[in-house]
Amino acid sequence: MTATTTSATTAHAAEGERGPFVVGIGGTLRAGSSTERALRDCLAAVRRRGGRTALFSGEDINLPMYNPHDTHRTAAALALVEALRAADAVVIGSPGYHGGVSGLVKNALDYVEDLRGDATVYLDNKPWGCISCAFGWQAAVGTLGQLRVIGHALRAWPTPLGVAINSAEPVWDAEGVLVDETTSTQLDLLAAQLLSFVPAGGSPR
Ligand SMILES: Cc1cc2nc3c(=O)[nH]c(=O)nc-3n(C[C@H](O)[C@H](O)[C@H](O)COP(=O)(O)O)c2cc1C
């Protein structure tokens, strides 16, 4: 995981509270990724509201192509799967690449297959927040729809609000601070919905 994020294991213990555990996945391999920034801003809103978080972005999800027929898993892949197993809710962020979800993000999501044999199959009943970033509304909105469909396939519950971001607009300043009020409000509302849809007592394990 990137330096400023908390690992799944430490996230439980570190903050010591029993708030819902929200796992963020996504971003791109580009330094200063807007998708990663949006995920970070959303997870910060989760923490402000009492949740615990972990983020898997950039190199954290630069995983070998998922192979269901090879049970060897890298340490990074195991960390991702373990965090998803422990998650009460998930927020996923993808860029729009050629009109859709990037290969990097989709490959990371394919590792959810490793939860197939769990008592909680895949992400059964877990809230699923979606964020997309593209250099125009068409790919941003189209990609958001794809993320929702993937969430359904993984048995998760896409939140009513998804956040599509047009990264051609000045959403963050040069220092990476979120300056667009609408995006800020939406990411905060997404955090609120993720937390409020977690079943009492946490998601099933
Ligand atoms: C391979 C590739 C394909 C892309 N395809 C599209 C596209 O179809 N439509 C679009 O609006 N932007 C497209 N973009 C632009 C990205 O969606 C946009 O720059 C986005 O903000 C990238 O996310 P990032 O800032 O997290 O790196 C593409 C970028 C790359 C590198």
Side-chain angles (χ1 to χ4, degrees):
M1 265 165 287
T2 44
T4 53
T5 59
T6 313
S7 80
T9 344
T10 50
H12 274 298
E15 292 154 49
E17 294 158 15
R18 295 307 315 150
F21 181 43
V22 180
V23 173
I25 305 173
T28 68
L29 297 174
R30 191 177 71 79
S33 159
S34 56
T35 319
E36 180 178 325
R37 283 178 179 167
L39 279 169
R40 286 183 184 279
D41 291 330
C42 183
L43 292 177
V46 166
R47 290 192 296 275
R48 284 196 298 276
R49 292 172 174 275
R52 294 165 299 134
T53 66
L55 174 64
F56 293 80
S57 62
E59 285 299 333
D60 304 325
I61 55 169
N62 194 5
L63 305 174
M65 193 59 64
Y66 181 74
N67 179 355
H69 307 294
D70 178 358
T71 53
H72 172 75
R73 298 284 177 259
T74 63
L78 289 172
L80 175 66
V81 170
E82 202 43 53
L84 287 169
R85 185 172 277 132
D88 293 305
V90 176
V91 55
I92 181 85
S94 176
Y97 274 7
H98 304 146
V101 175
S102 71
L104 183 84
V105 171
K106 184 59 172 66
N107 185 52
L109 292 178
D110 287 346
Y111 278 81
V112 177
E113 186 65 17
D114 284 5
L115 301 178
R116 178 191 182 138
D118 280 24
T120 298
V121 178
Y122 298 149
L123 301 173
D124 199 20
N125 271 323
K126 300 188 186 197
W128 172 264
C130 302
I131 300 169
S132 63
C133 288
F135 217 67
W137 288 114
Q138 183 167 284
V141 172
T143 301
L144 191 74
Q146 293 174 12
L147 291 175
R148 288 177 181 278
V149 169
I150 293 168
H152 280 142
L154 298 177
R155 306 193 186 189
W157 293 98
T159 57
L161 180 78
V163 182
I165 298 171
N166 183 349
S167 53
E169 295 180 356
V171 178
W172 291 270
D173 69 13
E175 278 72 50
V177 176
L178 182 56
V179 291
D180 182 72
E181 208 172 310
T182 302
T183 305
S184 174
T185 302
Q186 290 185 351
L187 291 173
D188 189 53
L189 184 52
L190 180 58
Q193 291 190 352
L194 282 166
L195 292 173
S196 64
F197 296 134
V198 171
S203 285
R205 302 270 185 265

